[in-house]
Amino acid sequence: MQKTFDIAVVGGGLVGMAIAFGLAKRGKRVVVCDGEDNALRAARGNFGLVWVQGKGANCVNYARWSLHSADAWQGFADELLARSGVSIGFCRPGGFNIAQSREELASKAEAMQRLHLAEPRLKFEVLESKELAQRLPAVGPHAAGAIYSPNDGHVSPLYTLRALFAAYERVGGEYAPNANVTEINPTSGSFRLRVANGHTLEAGRVVLAAGLGNRTLAPQVGLRAPVKPLRGQILVTERVRPFLAHPTIYVRQTVEGSVLVGDSAEDVGFNDGVTPDVLADIARRAIAPFPLLEHVRVVRAWGALRVMTPDGLPIYEESASHPGAYLATCHSGVTLAAAHCDTVAPWILGGDRPALLDTFYANRFAV
């Protein structure tokens, strides 16, 4: 039996669910077509930073887009709690980017100063080692300093995804699990989606938010998604006493007390496993600034694949040849979730394309 919707969102990760929730709460009949449980899912391997600091070093509009979303995050979190009853642990106390040497600190400070000159709303402080120790007493003697920015925060990505699902369903959204979309056929004024279970769906508009799956789906509706996987590995420790009230770019303590550590990037294709050498390096770089972690037990580790464009920036685009088909892809599904829900969704519903998105067309990769 074929079902008809106003909009079909392909992909049930953080990007797809934030957009789908934004569409459904505005009264549209929306279906999310999701893959199998064992599909590659960046949303379930996320570190959980709502991070602005340092983003957009080569594209200030990306810094502005990230700040736009981060500024909207508190309202987004409050709405998710009200609609889903799920507390997602969001807080925005500002974040630290710790440097291991004076040269590294100077380099980070120079990059932040360039961004600040281009966009004065990007705030930061340069902290020498003594100042850093006063702000983060758990920092050991080998940290040379840090950049602090009040623009940064963190959240539980898994609770966020759970809250998005609950909120989406409560505003009438429909979820189709094990519905891997294999084919999209533009028809007269709509799109017919064929899914792996043999069913078909018809929707007036379609949003491609399938992460790495967008590579094959986008060309079917006249779009380009030149994305590739970039693996990151993460360690999680046992719960320990609170010692880190602020997130850092590669160590953060959750509200439950466990510590997440991770800052790796590997081009290994679609291998989302873990490797001892990378995990050991991650642990060493976490213990260097935080010596107390040396005797904390690791309880699990995982690898996940980021969804990366050649320049690391997002793509947001409506198809010129098949109007009504949209592409949304990025590797910052947490940071940008608030903007996806309340800035991107209204555009998909027929509003003006937000000026902040003008940089993020795929034709920037044309040669």
Side-chain angles (χ1 to χ4, degrees):
M1 182 179 72
Q2 181 171 300
K3 300 182 72 172
T4 302
F5 299 87
D6 295 324
I7 305 164
V9 177
V10 183
L14 284 163
V15 175
M17 290 308 302
I19 293 174
F21 172 51
L23 296 169
K25 75 176 184 178
R26 290 174 170 83
K28 296 300 178 184
R29 190 177 181 211
V30 182
V31 62
V32 171
C33 298
D34 204 4
E36 297 80 10
D37 282 347
N38 61 356
L40 296 171
R41 294 179 180 277
R44 296 182 186 175
N46 199 289
F47 195 66
L49 295 177
V50 178
W51 202 259
V52 179
Q53 181 179 166
K55 285 187 173 178
N58 297 314
C59 175
V60 71
N61 277 349
Y62 186 45
R64 291 174 176 137
W65 180 231
S66 299
L67 181 61
H68 168 78
S69 189
D71 286 346
W73 242 97
Q74 187 61 64
F76 177 64
D78 292 344
E79 182 178 15
L80 284 180
L81 176 61
R83 291 187 183 269
S84 70
V86 178
S87 176
I88 60 178
F90 171 71
C91 64
R92 197 185 188 193
F96 291 81
N97 190 350
I98 297 173
Q100 300 297 323
S101 67
R102 294 190 63 81
E103 291 76 16
E104 183 184 358
L105 180 62
S107 177
K108 293 177 188 292
E110 182 182 358
M112 289 300 297
Q113 182 61 25
R114 285 200 305 270
L115 280 169
H116 176 72
L117 289 173
E119 177 49 74
R121 292 182 304 143
L122 298 167
K123 306 294 186 184
F124 74 102
E125 299 173 51
V126 180
L127 305 176
E128 301 290 342
S129 57
K130 288 185 179 178
E131 298 171 285
L132 177 60
Q134 292 172 351
R135 301 278 285 272
L136 291 181
V139 168
H142 301 301
I147 306 297
Y148 168 79
S149 173
N151 300 136
D152 302 322
H154 60 154
V155 70
S156 167
L158 295 180
Y159 280 134
T160 300
L161 189 58
R162 177 182 168 189
L164 280 168
F165 270 96
Y168 170 70
E169 291 182 354
R170 290 188 182 182
V171 296
E174 188 165 330
Y175 176 68
N178 303 313
N180 192 35
V181 174
T182 59
E183 188 177 327
I184 304 175
N185 292 304
T187 61
S188 179
S190 64
F191 298 87
R192 184 170 296 122
L193 283 65
R194 184 177 298 279
V195 298
N197 58 18
H199 293 168
T200 59
L201 303 167
E202 187 155 330
R205 300 181 185 195
V206 62
V207 180
L208 303 183
L212 295 168
N214 284 336
R215 300 193 311 173
T216 56
L217 294 173
Q220 299 182 30
V221 289
L223 291 163
R224 292 182 61 212
V227 292
K228 68 174 187 178
L230 188 68
R231 184 171 71 182
Q233 300 186 39
I234 291 176
L235 289 169
V236 183
T237 75
E238 62 182 332
R239 296 180 182 183
V240 297
R241 64 171 176 79
F243 73 94
L244 189 58
H246 300 259
T248 76
I249 200 166
Y250 59 91
V251 179
R252 77 176 188 90
Q253 188 170 28
T254 69
V255 293
E256 294 87 2
S258 57
V259 182
L260 271 67
V261 183
D263 186 27
S264 62
E266 305 165 88
D267 185 357
V268 291
F270 287 85
N271 182 346
D272 64 348
V274 297
T275 56
D277 57 335
V278 172
L279 293 178
D281 183 60
I282 288 171
R284 278 193 296 269
R285 287 189 290 116
I287 291 170
F290 297 106
L292 62 83
L293 293 177
E294 184 175 6
H295 301 293
V296 174
R297 289 175 295 188
V298 172
V299 295
R300 62 183 181 276
W302 67 74
L305 302 180
R306 301 179 180 92
V307 181
M308 299 296 292
T309 60
D311 60 7
L313 303 178
I315 301 172
Y316 303 100
E317 193 158 351
E318 181 181 10
S319 173
S321 58
H322 301 292
Y326 294 80
L327 172 67
T329 186
C330 68
H331 75 278
S332 295
V334 171
T335 299
L336 298 176
H340 289 161
C341 182
D342 289 321
T343 303
V344 170
W347 165 53
I348 291 169
L349 290 176
D352 292 336
R353 178 182 169 96
L356 279 170
L357 303 186
D358 282 349
T359 303
F360 307 127
Y361 288 98
N363 63 8
R364 67 183 187 268
F365 304 116
V367 293

